[in-house]
Amino acid sequence: ELWGTPKLTEEQNILSMSRRTTAIAAALSVLALGSPLISSCSNSLADISYNSGVDKYEQGDYQGAIADYTKAIEINPEYANAFVNRGATKAKLGDYQGAIADCNKALEINPKDADTYYNRGNAKGELKDYQGAIADYNKAIEISPMYFGAYYNRGNAKGELKDYQGA
């Protein structure tokens, strides 16, 4: 695959424990203190939906993952990682325009996330917008100078533009 697999956020490396912890904490806080905490638990509820999306993505249930990420976004419209992961999942299904739209929203919320620029660059590359892809890979490298996947894909995009010297 020329552009590589979309990257999900790094926090997924520690999610197995945090999923259980978040779910238990959300349930206990509502049980212990009652309904006044419902509004303050919205981020925990968003996390539960988000984590469910991660599980479904890993199991290959991409439509289910998109539904869960969307639910997390509905609960917390500023959940940048949910936009990033929903975009990566859309890209996995070939919806590159949808992936770019989700990356754009994530970057409005968190403009310093190298993975989001990388994912958006991949989607642009799939749509043959190589200049746009190169710009996104450059931004990912600026944020994270050791981002080897961005260097590699930038070289591929430059090759597609016949810029063999720059590649």
Side-chain angles (χ1 to χ4, degrees), residues 2-165:
L2 178 63
W3 301 103
T5 302
K7 291 185 67 103
L8 299 179
T9 59
E10 285 187 29
E11 68 184 60
Q12 291 170 15
N13 293 333
I14 57 168
L15 280 179
S16 62
M17 183 61 180
S18 67
R19 283 187 203 117
R20 277 185 244 114
T21 304
T22 300
I24 292 168
L28 289 176
S29 65
V30 172
L31 288 174
L33 300 173
S35 61
L37 249 193
I38 297 282
S39 62
S40 65
C41 281
S42 64
N43 285 344
S44 294
L45 296 174
D47 287 342
I48 291 168
S49 294
Y50 172 86
N51 292 338
S52 177
V54 171
D55 286 340
K56 287 179 182 172
Y57 181 92
E58 291 171 353
Q59 294 165 9
D61 178 7
Y62 303 124
Q63 293 296 344
I66 288 172
D68 285 345
Y69 295 137
T70 300
K71 185 174 180 184
I73 291 164
E74 288 168 356
I75 295 167
N76 179 3
E78 298 298 307
Y79 204 152
N81 287 343
F83 280 104
V84 173
N85 284 14
R86 187 174 73 176
T89 308
K90 287 178 179 180
K92 188 81 168 169
L93 292 173
D95 178 8
Y96 303 114
Q97 292 291 354
I100 290 168
D102 278 348
C103 287
N104 290 343
K105 182 61 180 168
L107 289 169
E108 287 175 21
I109 298 165
N110 180 11
K112 303 245 188 236
D113 184 38
D115 285 339
T116 306
Y117 285 103
Y118 176 83
N119 285 353
R120 189 173 72 176
N122 289 348
K124 287 179 178 179
E126 291 291 347
L127 294 172
K128 301 192 182 325
D129 174 10
Y130 301 120
Q131 292 290 357
I134 290 166
D136 282 342
Y137 297 136
N138 285 339
K139 190 68 177 172
I141 291 164
E142 177 186 319
I143 294 166
S144 182
M146 302 300 285
Y147 205 138
F148 298 113
Y151 284 102
Y152 181 81
N153 283 2
R154 183 179 69 181
N156 285 339
K158 287 183 176 188
E160 291 292 335
L161 293 174
K162 311 290 188 234
D163 177 7
Y164 302 117
Q165 193 77 15

